[in-house]
Amino acid sequence: MIFCFVDFIEKDKFFKSSTEQFKVTEEYGVTVIKKYPDYKKNNQIFYAMAINSRDFDESKRTDNFLRKAIEANPKDLETVYNSKVGLAEFYYNNKKYSEAIGFYQDVLKNTSNEWYAKHLYNSAIIVTGKQI
C-alpha cells in the first residue's frame, strides 16, 4: 500500500495557500496588462496565467489565456510555440481533437523539440483514431 498524505486531509485545505497565491498572481497579471496594454511582454503574462489556470483546474480560462498569449505578441516565437503546444494538449486532453490537430500541425514543424515524438504520437492518435 502506498501512503499518501493528501488522502488523509481535505484537498481544499491542503492547497489553500497555493490557491490563494494563484489568485493573487492572476489578479496582479491582469492589473499589469490593463495598466500597460502595450507592454511587449504581456504575452508572457498571459502564458503564465494560462499555465497557472491549467494547473489549478480552471480550464475554461486556459484556452482564452493561451490564445491571448499568441495574439499579444506574435513575434515572440518561443511563447507562440509554447502557447500552441498548450492549446494542442489542452484540446487533446479534453477530447476536442478537431481543434487539437490544427495546433499539432504547427507544433510538429519544430522537429528539434525534445517532445516532438510525444506530439507526433498524439497527432497520430487523432488522425487514425487508434492508440498505437
Side-chain angles (χ1 to χ4, degrees), residues 33 39-48 65 68-77 79-80 83:
I33 290 168
Y39 178 53
K40 69 178 183 174
K41 293 190 177 188
N42 279 345
N43 63 323
Q44 294 175 11
I45 296 170
F46 280 122
Y47 180 75
F65 287 145
K68 286 184 176 184
I70 294 169
E71 293 169 10
N73 187 354
K75 293 180 181 179
D76 179 354
L77 300 181
T79 303
V80 168
S83 298

mmCIF file of all heavy atoms in Angstrom, residues 33 39-48 65 68-77 79-80 83:
data_model
loop_
_atom_site.group_PDB
_atom_site.id
_atom_site.type_symbol
_atom_site.label_atom_id
_atom_site.label_comp_id
_atom_site.label_asym_id
_atom_site.label_seq_id
_atom_site.Cartn_x
_atom_site.Cartn_y
_atom_site.Cartn_z
ATOM 1 N N ILE A 33 -1.466 44.029 -17.182
ATOM 2 C CA ILE A 33 -1.898 44.083 -18.575
ATOM 3 C C ILE A 33 -2.833 45.263 -18.817
ATOM 4 O O ILE A 33 -2.730 45.949 -19.844
ATOM 5 C CB ILE A 33 -2.553 42.742 -18.988
ATOM 6 C CG1 ILE A 33 -1.473 41.657 -19.067
ATOM 7 C CG2 ILE A 33 -3.304 42.866 -20.305
ATOM 8 C CD1 ILE A 33 -2.012 40.245 -19.170
ATOM 9 N N TYR A 39 2.691 46.860 -23.336
ATOM 10 C CA TYR A 39 3.926 46.234 -22.865
ATOM 11 C C TYR A 39 4.200 44.996 -23.713
ATOM 12 O O TYR A 39 3.336 44.139 -23.890
ATOM 13 C CB TYR A 39 3.782 45.874 -21.387
ATOM 14 C CG TYR A 39 4.970 45.183 -20.775
ATOM 15 C CD1 TYR A 39 6.255 45.728 -20.859
ATOM 16 C CD2 TYR A 39 4.813 43.991 -20.087
ATOM 17 C CE1 TYR A 39 7.338 45.098 -20.278
ATOM 18 C CE2 TYR A 39 5.897 43.356 -19.496
ATOM 19 C CZ TYR A 39 7.150 43.913 -19.597
ATOM 20 O OH TYR A 39 8.227 43.285 -19.020
ATOM 21 N N LYS A 40 5.405 44.907 -24.279
ATOM 22 C CA LYS A 40 5.693 43.855 -25.261
ATOM 23 C C LYS A 40 5.753 42.449 -24.663
ATOM 24 O O LYS A 40 5.733 41.467 -25.399
ATOM 25 C CB LYS A 40 6.978 44.154 -26.028
ATOM 26 C CG LYS A 40 8.240 44.057 -25.205
ATOM 27 C CD LYS A 40 9.468 44.326 -26.052
ATOM 28 C CE LYS A 40 10.716 44.158 -25.239
ATOM 29 N NZ LYS A 40 11.904 44.283 -26.062
ATOM 30 N N LYS A 41 5.801 42.347 -23.332
ATOM 31 C CA LYS A 41 5.857 41.011 -22.722
ATOM 32 C C LYS A 41 4.528 40.607 -22.078
ATOM 33 O O LYS A 41 4.481 39.658 -21.303
ATOM 34 C CB LYS A 41 7.000 40.939 -21.720
ATOM 35 C CG LYS A 41 8.353 41.050 -22.401
ATOM 36 C CD LYS A 41 9.481 40.736 -21.475
ATOM 37 C CE LYS A 41 10.791 40.807 -22.259
ATOM 38 N NZ LYS A 41 11.909 40.343 -21.473
ATOM 39 N N ASN A 42 3.457 41.291 -22.420
ATOM 40 C CA ASN A 42 2.140 40.889 -21.914
ATOM 41 C C ASN A 42 1.809 39.464 -22.339
ATOM 42 O O ASN A 42 1.123 38.749 -21.628
ATOM 43 C CB ASN A 42 1.047 41.848 -22.391
ATOM 44 C CG ASN A 42 0.978 43.099 -21.542
ATOM 45 O OD1 ASN A 42 1.526 43.154 -20.448
ATOM 46 N ND2 ASN A 42 0.307 44.115 -22.047
ATOM 47 N N ASN A 43 2.332 39.074 -23.490
ATOM 48 C CA ASN A 43 2.077 37.705 -23.960
ATOM 49 C C ASN A 43 2.621 36.675 -22.962
ATOM 50 O O ASN A 43 2.005 35.637 -22.739
ATOM 51 C CB ASN A 43 2.682 37.480 -25.344
ATOM 52 C CG ASN A 43 4.195 37.620 -25.354
ATOM 53 O OD1 ASN A 43 4.773 38.464 -24.668
ATOM 54 N ND2 ASN A 43 4.848 36.816 -26.157
ATOM 55 N N GLN A 44 3.755 36.985 -22.353
ATOM 56 C CA GLN A 44 4.326 36.061 -21.375
ATOM 57 C C GLN A 44 3.504 36.031 -20.089
ATOM 58 O O GLN A 44 3.413 34.990 -19.426
ATOM 59 C CB GLN A 44 5.783 36.429 -21.100
ATOM 60 C CG GLN A 44 6.653 36.223 -22.327
ATOM 61 C CD GLN A 44 8.078 36.692 -22.136
ATOM 62 O OE1 GLN A 44 8.499 37.002 -21.026
ATOM 63 N NE2 GLN A 44 8.831 36.738 -23.221
ATOM 64 N N ILE A 45 2.894 37.161 -19.759
ATOM 65 C CA ILE A 45 2.000 37.198 -18.599
ATOM 66 C C ILE A 45 0.768 36.339 -18.886
ATOM 67 O O ILE A 45 0.346 35.545 -18.045
ATOM 68 C CB ILE A 45 1.610 38.646 -18.247
ATOM 69 C CG1 ILE A 45 2.858 39.441 -17.817
ATOM 70 C CG2 ILE A 45 0.550 38.668 -17.147
ATOM 71 C CD1 ILE A 45 2.633 40.934 -17.670
ATOM 72 N N PHE A 46 0.201 36.496 -20.087
ATOM 73 C CA PHE A 46 -0.942 35.665 -20.477
ATOM 74 C C PHE A 46 -0.577 34.182 -20.446
ATOM 75 O O PHE A 46 -1.355 33.350 -19.979
ATOM 76 C CB PHE A 46 -1.452 36.030 -21.874
ATOM 77 C CG PHE A 46 -2.329 37.242 -21.931
ATOM 78 C CD1 PHE A 46 -1.992 38.318 -22.726
ATOM 79 C CD2 PHE A 46 -3.511 37.300 -21.197
ATOM 80 C CE1 PHE A 46 -2.818 39.435 -22.803
ATOM 81 C CE2 PHE A 46 -4.342 38.412 -21.258
ATOM 82 C CZ PHE A 46 -3.988 39.482 -22.068
ATOM 83 N N TYR A 47 0.624 33.855 -20.941
ATOM 84 C CA TYR A 47 1.060 32.456 -20.952
ATOM 85 C C TYR A 47 1.179 31.915 -19.522
ATOM 86 O O TYR A 47 0.721 30.814 -19.228
ATOM 87 C CB TYR A 47 2.383 32.301 -21.707
ATOM 88 C CG TYR A 47 2.852 30.872 -21.738
ATOM 89 C CD1 TYR A 47 2.243 29.953 -22.583
ATOM 90 C CD2 TYR A 47 3.875 30.428 -20.904
ATOM 91 C CE1 TYR A 47 2.645 28.622 -22.605
ATOM 92 C CE2 TYR A 47 4.287 29.106 -20.920
ATOM 93 C CZ TYR A 47 3.673 28.211 -21.764
ATOM 94 O OH TYR A 47 4.065 26.894 -21.781
ATOM 95 N N ALA A 48 1.779 32.696 -18.636
ATOM 96 C CA ALA A 48 1.920 32.266 -17.236
ATOM 97 C C ALA A 48 0.548 32.065 -16.596
ATOM 98 O O ALA A 48 0.328 31.084 -15.874
ATOM 99 C CB ALA A 48 2.736 33.287 -16.451
ATOM 100 N N PHE A 65 -6.491 32.421 -22.229
ATOM 101 C CA PHE A 65 -5.178 32.992 -21.937
ATOM 102 C C PHE A 65 -4.134 32.564 -22.965
ATOM 103 O O PHE A 65 -3.281 33.356 -23.366
ATOM 104 C CB PHE A 65 -4.717 32.616 -20.531
ATOM 105 C CG PHE A 65 -5.437 33.330 -19.420
ATOM 106 C CD1 PHE A 65 -5.694 32.675 -18.223
ATOM 107 C CD2 PHE A 65 -5.842 34.654 -19.538
ATOM 108 C CE1 PHE A 65 -6.341 33.310 -17.173
ATOM 109 C CE2 PHE A 65 -6.497 35.306 -18.500
ATOM 110 C CZ PHE A 65 -6.741 34.634 -17.310
ATOM 111 N N LYS A 68 -4.662 34.548 -26.103
ATOM 112 C CA LYS A 68 -4.214 35.934 -25.902
ATOM 113 C C LYS A 68 -2.692 36.017 -25.882
ATOM 114 O O LYS A 68 -2.123 37.017 -26.315
ATOM 115 C CB LYS A 68 -4.811 36.504 -24.625
ATOM 116 C CG LYS A 68 -6.285 36.829 -24.776
ATOM 117 C CD LYS A 68 -6.853 37.480 -23.535
ATOM 118 C CE LYS A 68 -8.295 37.868 -23.785
ATOM 119 N NZ LYS A 68 -8.876 38.593 -22.659
ATOM 120 N N ALA A 69 -2.032 34.980 -25.396
ATOM 121 C CA ALA A 69 -0.561 34.961 -25.400
ATOM 122 C C ALA A 69 -0.040 35.010 -26.832
ATOM 123 O O ALA A 69 0.962 35.664 -27.117
ATOM 124 C CB ALA A 69 -0.048 33.721 -24.681
ATOM 125 N N ILE A 70 -0.724 34.330 -27.733
ATOM 126 C CA ILE A 70 -0.327 34.337 -29.150
ATOM 127 C C ILE A 70 -0.623 35.689 -29.777
ATOM 128 O O ILE A 70 0.218 36.274 -30.469
ATOM 129 C CB ILE A 70 -1.045 33.210 -29.920
ATOM 130 C CG1 ILE A 70 -0.573 31.847 -29.413
ATOM 131 C CG2 ILE A 70 -0.818 33.340 -31.417
ATOM 132 C CD1 ILE A 70 -1.406 30.666 -29.903
ATOM 133 N N GLU A 71 -1.803 36.221 -29.520
ATOM 134 C CA GLU A 71 -2.239 37.486 -30.123
ATOM 135 C C GLU A 71 -1.435 38.679 -29.617
ATOM 136 O O GLU A 71 -1.178 39.621 -30.375
ATOM 137 C CB GLU A 71 -3.713 37.732 -29.814
ATOM 138 C CG GLU A 71 -4.654 36.752 -30.471
ATOM 139 C CD GLU A 71 -6.080 36.867 -29.936
ATOM 140 O OE1 GLU A 71 -6.380 37.833 -29.194
ATOM 141 O OE2 GLU A 71 -6.892 35.972 -30.247
ATOM 142 N N ALA A 72 -1.046 38.650 -28.344
ATOM 143 C CA ALA A 72 -0.398 39.809 -27.722
ATOM 144 C C ALA A 72 0.956 40.147 -28.336
ATOM 145 O O ALA A 72 1.331 41.313 -28.395
ATOM 146 C CB ALA A 72 -0.257 39.597 -26.218
ATOM 147 N N ASN A 73 1.689 39.131 -28.779
ATOM 148 C CA ASN A 73 2.992 39.389 -29.406
ATOM 149 C C ASN A 73 3.361 38.220 -30.304
ATOM 150 O O ASN A 73 4.150 37.353 -29.914
ATOM 151 C CB ASN A 73 4.079 39.617 -28.349
ATOM 152 C CG ASN A 73 5.398 40.059 -28.967
ATOM 153 O OD1 ASN A 73 5.546 40.099 -30.182
ATOM 154 N ND2 ASN A 73 6.352 40.392 -28.125
ATOM 155 N N PRO A 74 2.806 38.184 -31.523
ATOM 156 C CA PRO A 74 3.090 37.063 -32.427
ATOM 157 C C PRO A 74 4.556 36.980 -32.864
ATOM 158 O O PRO A 74 4.972 35.969 -33.419
ATOM 159 C CB PRO A 74 2.159 37.315 -33.622
ATOM 160 C CG PRO A 74 1.662 38.701 -33.488
ATOM 161 C CD PRO A 74 1.869 39.140 -32.075
ATOM 162 N N LYS A 75 5.347 38.003 -32.572
ATOM 163 C CA LYS A 75 6.765 37.978 -32.942
ATOM 164 C C LYS A 75 7.615 37.222 -31.914
ATOM 165 O O LYS A 75 8.749 36.865 -32.200
ATOM 166 C CB LYS A 75 7.296 39.402 -33.127
ATOM 167 C CG LYS A 75 6.678 40.103 -34.319
ATOM 168 C CD LYS A 75 7.220 41.498 -34.478
ATOM 169 C CE LYS A 75 6.558 42.178 -35.663
ATOM 170 N NZ LYS A 75 7.034 43.543 -35.835
ATOM 171 N N ASP A 76 7.071 36.994 -30.736
ATOM 172 C CA ASP A 76 7.784 36.232 -29.704
ATOM 173 C C ASP A 76 7.559 34.750 -30.007
ATOM 174 O O ASP A 76 6.658 34.114 -29.479
ATOM 175 C CB ASP A 76 7.261 36.604 -28.316
ATOM 176 C CG ASP A 76 7.930 35.835 -27.188
ATOM 177 O OD1 ASP A 76 8.738 34.913 -27.458
ATOM 178 O OD2 ASP A 76 7.627 36.139 -26.019
ATOM 179 N N LEU A 77 8.393 34.213 -30.874
ATOM 180 C CA LEU A 77 8.178 32.866 -31.398
ATOM 181 C C LEU A 77 8.207 31.778 -30.338
ATOM 182 O O LEU A 77 7.480 30.787 -30.439
ATOM 183 C CB LEU A 77 9.199 32.573 -32.499
ATOM 184 C CG LEU A 77 9.146 33.518 -33.707
ATOM 185 C CD1 LEU A 77 10.184 33.117 -34.742
ATOM 186 C CD2 LEU A 77 7.754 33.564 -34.314
ATOM 187 N N THR A 79 7.201 31.994 -27.133
ATOM 188 C CA THR A 79 5.935 31.991 -26.400
ATOM 189 C C THR A 79 4.786 31.552 -27.301
ATOM 190 O O THR A 79 3.882 30.839 -26.861
ATOM 191 C CB THR A 79 5.655 33.373 -25.775
ATOM 192 O OG1 THR A 79 6.750 33.721 -24.922
ATOM 193 C CG2 THR A 79 4.380 33.380 -24.955
ATOM 194 N N VAL A 80 4.830 31.941 -28.566
ATOM 195 C CA VAL A 80 3.805 31.492 -29.518
ATOM 196 C C VAL A 80 3.846 29.970 -29.632
ATOM 197 O O VAL A 80 2.807 29.300 -29.562
ATOM 198 C CB VAL A 80 3.986 32.153 -30.904
ATOM 199 C CG1 VAL A 80 3.123 31.482 -31.957
ATOM 200 C CG2 VAL A 80 3.668 33.645 -30.829
ATOM 201 N N SER A 83 2.591 28.342 -26.471
ATOM 202 C CA SER A 83 1.139 28.518 -26.381
ATOM 203 C C SER A 83 0.413 27.557 -27.305
ATOM 204 O O SER A 83 -0.633 27.004 -26.935
ATOM 205 C CB SER A 83 0.760 29.964 -26.710
ATOM 206 O OG SER A 83 1.339 30.853 -25.777
#
